[in-house]
């Protein structure tokens, strides 16, 4: 069932481990279809494939010393493997990889990579994962459209803001955006696949919302288009009384109110 222009929106966000292989994308396709059957229009927000952002961080550091070729090959190989597993063309991400290579080469020539270049390089992880994911959903019978998040979110200028914060930890207003909502209404039959973590500044430069910014992106997009709800999906069954990786006897919570979640967060729980 496809939505119509008056159907409510649901934003569903998936992190790095949730977009890393075929079984994960099969799960995403299933969730999308269920939401469509429930009468929702669906906006999918994805992170980079697990570990890729860290690899790009290493690539940036290596580029400054002109020893980046092997890391670049590793990033390309990871996405080639995923493309093959999903049964989609690697050509979907070749242009993005070419840009990443050019930026790395430029950093090696000048011996530095400032915040503006770092933001552009780090954004490529999300761009590649969503390109492959949108192609897979289409191949699977879900009418999906890839959307550049930099056309959806624009950061706000802050007085006396440093360059690093401007490009690597930008802030975006969460007010309703009627122009954006109208843009999405024009093609109601499609599922939109876009990126977390990235946006643009008022001059059109790529900016980042900080590490972990994909959850923020999903919430912002939900607010801007007036979505009925925003779902943050992960690869764990739910909230525990403690980190189950560190405390084996931690119990899975069957229900959690806002005040309890806030208390857990104030105690340092990064999951929130």
């Amino acid at each position: 069932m496809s939505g119509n222009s008056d159907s409510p929106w649901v934003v569903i966000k998936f992190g790095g481990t949730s977009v890393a292989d075929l079984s994960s994308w099969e799960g995403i396709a299933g969730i999308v279809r269920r939401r469509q059957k429930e009468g929702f229009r669906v906006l999918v927000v994805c992170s980079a494939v697990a570990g890729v952002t860290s690899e790009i961080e290493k690539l940036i550091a290596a580029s400054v010393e002109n020893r980046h070729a092997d890391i670049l090959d590793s990033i390309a190989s990871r996405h080639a493997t995923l493309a093959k597993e999903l049964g989609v063309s690697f050509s979907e991400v070749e242009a993005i990889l070419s840009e990443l290579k050019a930026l790395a080469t430029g950093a090696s020539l000048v011996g530095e990579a400032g915040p503006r270049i770092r933001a552009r390089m780090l954004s490529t992880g999300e761009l590649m994962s969503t390109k492959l994911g949108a192609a897979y959903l289409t191949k699977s019978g879900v009418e999906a459209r890839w959307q550049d998040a930099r056309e959806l979110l624009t950061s706000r200028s802050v007085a006396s803001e440093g360059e690093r914060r401007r490009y690597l930890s930008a802030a975006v207003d969460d007010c309703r955006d009627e122009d954006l909502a109208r843009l999405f209404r024009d093609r109601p039959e499609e599922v939109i696949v876009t990126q977390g973590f990235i946006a643009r500044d008022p001059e059109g430069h790529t900016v980042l919302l900080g590490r972990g910014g994909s959850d923020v992106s999903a919430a912002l997009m939900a607010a801007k288009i007036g979505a009925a709800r925003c779902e943050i999906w992960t690869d764990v069954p739910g909230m525990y009384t403690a980190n189950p990786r560190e405390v084996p006897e931690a119990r899975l919570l069957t229900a959690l109110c806002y005040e309890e979640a806030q208390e857990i967060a104030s105690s340092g729980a990064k999951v929130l």
Side-chain angles (χ1 to χ4, degrees):
M1 172 180 173
S2 296
N4 59 60
S5 59
D6 297 321
S7 296
W9 280 95
V10 60
V11 178
I12 54 177
K13 179 264 172 181
F14 299 93
T17 54
S18 300
V19 298
D21 54 31
L22 175 60
S23 63
S24 296
W25 278 102
E26 287 174 339
I28 291 173
I31 293 166
V32 168
R33 291 190 184 99
R34 288 201 298 275
R35 295 296 173 266
Q36 288 180 310
K37 288 179 180 178
E38 293 166 1
F40 288 102
R41 293 192 62 198
V42 184
L43 173 60
V44 181
V45 179
C46 297
S47 299
V49 171
V52 167
T53 299
S54 294
E55 273 200 277
I56 297 174
E57 290 272 19
K58 294 176 183 177
L59 174 70
I60 294 169
S63 297
V64 175
E65 300 176 5
N66 196 24
R67 51 179 183 81
H68 56 278
D70 288 346
I71 302 175
L72 191 62
D73 288 344
S74 174
I75 294 170
S77 178
R78 287 201 65 184
H79 289 88
T81 298
L82 179 58
K84 183 177 181 180
E85 190 175 353
L86 297 180
V88 301
S89 175
F90 180 62
S91 64
E92 295 284 346
V93 298
E94 285 181 330
I96 301 169
L97 282 167
S98 294
E99 179 184 5
L100 182 59
K101 180 179 180 180
L103 291 167
T105 301
S108 70
L109 291 173
V110 300
E112 63 178 340
R116 183 171 163 184
I117 296 300
R118 289 178 65 87
R120 287 181 62 186
M121 294 178 75
L122 286 165
S123 72
T124 57
E126 275 72 14
L127 294 170
M128 288 189 288
S129 69
T130 52
K131 278 283 189 180
L132 295 177
Y136 171 76
L137 290 176
T138 298
K139 169 179 171 287
S140 302
V142 174
E143 189 170 353
R145 171 164 60 98
W146 183 87
Q147 174 69 55
D148 192 328
R150 292 169 293 189
E151 298 174 359
L152 308 180
L153 298 179
T154 302
S155 64
R156 63 173 183 262
S157 298
V158 179
S160 304
E161 186 176 40
E163 187 182 34
R164 183 175 183 83
R165 181 175 177 81
R166 174 183 175 183
Y167 289 109
L168 302 179
S169 189
V172 176
D173 289 325
D174 61 358
C175 54
R176 177 70 181 257
D177 187 334
E178 292 299 337
D179 290 337
L180 183 58
R182 194 176 304 111
L183 172 68
F184 283 0
R185 281 197 296 267
D186 288 344
R187 300 171 76 172
E189 72 283 357
E190 293 177 322
V191 170
I192 297 173
V193 180
T194 193
Q195 309 80 43
F197 186 48
I198 68 176
R200 68 178 176 187
D201 68 10
E203 287 74 47
H205 302 131
T206 299
V207 299
L208 308 179
L209 304 185
R211 291 301 288 264
S214 290
D215 288 357
V216 176
S217 295
L220 286 168
M221 291 179 193
K224 285 183 174 295
I225 63 175
R229 66 177 187 250
C230 177
E231 302 176 353
I232 308 297
W233 287 79
T234 108
D235 59 347
V236 296
M239 290 283 293
Y240 285 80
T241 54
N243 187 341
R245 296 185 180 91
E246 298 176 3
V247 184
E249 60 271 23
R251 293 179 292 107
L252 179 65
L253 299 170
T254 57
L256 191 68
C257 71
Y258 177 81
E259 289 75 16
E260 291 168 326
Q262 189 176 47
E263 182 177 348
I264 292 171
S266 65
S267 301
K270 295 180 181 180
V271 69
L272 301 179

